[in-house]
């Protein structure tokens, strides 16, 4: 299916590793910060937390010079603390470390692109060996998934054009990011996600485990 693939990009949570981030607590605490800065939280309750923060920064900047960055700092402290705490219990899905090592050994460029913060990801990688050529967290790029810049920056590092790359993730936004960047796309139905989880975005391939991707990739050798 992906006969021309030279590089593979992976989301982290729910794709390569299992970890329990309390997103509801994160949302509630960030909305509390919104209220402390004098805005009503209601318009932001349905948004993803990172996009919520970005939208509130813009709203505060329109009211008071410097308020946006102060809010962003306070909100990111909340988010980072929850992510770092969750990283302590993270572990790779069965077969993932070996799968990534085989990809690297076969000459594929391997990248991890995650919306998590770097301190949390580094805690995971200090405990588990996940072979890769590039890691880009939200701290490393100006715009994160589903913006294609996140993926394109990783592919630039790998020296692979989008048409020769595949993006794998467990969230529809991973598929959207891959489509926008011009890569192949693979949806991962980890942890009991329903069969129609990706129905709205229609990835090129859907698998129950990322390890199953290996059979759809060409044979490569180190260059």
């Amino acid at each position: 299916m992906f006969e021309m693939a030279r590089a593979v990009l992976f989301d982290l949570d729910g794709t390569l590793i299992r970890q329990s981030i309390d997103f509801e607590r994160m949302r509630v605490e960030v909305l509390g910060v919104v209220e402390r800065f004098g805005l009503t939280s209601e318009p932001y309750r349905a948004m993803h937390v990172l996009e919520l923060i970005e939208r509130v920064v813009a709203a505060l900047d329109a009211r008071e010079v410097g308020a946006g960055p102060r809010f962003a700092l306070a909100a990111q402290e909340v988010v980072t603390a929850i992510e770092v705490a969750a990283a302590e219990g993270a572990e790779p899905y069965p077969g993932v470390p070996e799968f990534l090592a085989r990809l690297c050994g076969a000459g594929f460029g391997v990248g991890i692109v995650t919306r998590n913060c770097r301190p949390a990801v580094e805690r995971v990688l200090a405990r588990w060996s996940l072979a890769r050529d590039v890691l880009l967290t939200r701290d490393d790029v100006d715009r994160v998934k589903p913006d294609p810049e996140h993926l394109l920056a990783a592919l630039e590092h790998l020296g692979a054009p989008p048409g020769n790359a595949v993006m794998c993730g467990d969230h529809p936004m991973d598929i959207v990011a891959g489509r926008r960047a011009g890569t192949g796309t693979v949806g991962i139905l980890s942890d009991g996600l329903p069969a129609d989880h990706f129905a709205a975005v229609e990835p090129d391939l859907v698998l129950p485990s990322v390890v199953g991707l290996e059979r759809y990739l060409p044979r490569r050798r180190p260059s």
Side-chain angles (χ1 to χ4, degrees):
M1 176 174 288
F2 303 116
E3 294 84 0
M4 302 302 292
R6 292 167 37 196
V8 188
L9 302 179
F10 298 96
D11 172 51
L12 186 63
D13 296 348
T15 302
L16 300 179
I17 67 168
R18 176 187 288 115
Q19 70 173 340
S20 297
I21 298 177
D22 192 340
F23 287 108
E24 184 55 32
R25 175 189 164 199
M26 183 186 294
R27 184 186 311 279
V28 168
E29 292 194 15
V30 170
L31 290 173
V33 179
V34 172
E35 297 279 356
R36 291 207 309 269
F37 275 75
L39 294 180
T40 178
S41 61
E42 191 59 35
Y44 309 104
R45 290 186 178 275
M47 299 178 67
H48 291 295
V49 171
L50 297 184
E51 285 73 19
L52 181 164
I53 293 172
E54 183 178 346
R55 187 73 61 83
V56 172
V57 166
L60 288 171
D61 278 343
R63 289 175 35 165
E64 177 187 348
V65 175
R70 292 198 303 274
F71 165 79
L73 180 61
Q76 289 291 354
E77 286 178 352
V78 168
V79 174
T80 297
I82 292 173
E83 289 177 342
V84 168
E88 296 301 324
E91 61 181 12
Y93 289 105
V96 163
E98 297 83 359
F99 168 56
L100 295 180
R102 288 195 299 271
L103 287 187
C104 288
F108 288 95
V110 174
I112 297 175
V113 287
T114 174
R115 285 161 59 99
N116 282 8
C117 66
R118 182 164 280 274
V121 175
E122 288 181 345
R123 287 206 178 197
V124 174
L125 297 178
R127 296 170 52 236
W128 302 101
S129 177
L130 299 179
R132 73 279 179 192
D133 299 296
V134 62
L135 163 67
L136 292 181
T137 72
R138 71 164 178 268
D139 299 327
D140 303 314
V141 292
D142 292 330
R143 292 187 288 277
V144 297
K145 301 177 296 180
D147 193 294
E149 177 183 310
H150 202 164
L151 279 60
L152 293 173
L155 292 175
E156 182 177 5
H157 180 93
L158 296 173
N164 295 113
V166 181
M167 174 64 202
C168 307
D170 72 311
H171 196 285
M173 74 170 59
D174 295 311
I175 307 307
V176 172
R179 286 275 171 76
R180 290 175 176 174
T183 73
T185 55
V186 180
I188 307 300
L189 292 175
S190 58
D191 295 326
L193 290 173
D196 63 353
H197 181 63
F198 296 104
V201 292
E202 298 184 341
D204 298 313
L205 178 66
V206 177
L207 296 170
S209 166
V210 72
V211 175
L213 174 63
E214 196 164 14
R215 63 179 292 191
Y216 296 94
L217 295 173
R219 294 181 179 272
R220 287 183 57 83
R221 291 290 182 269
S223 56

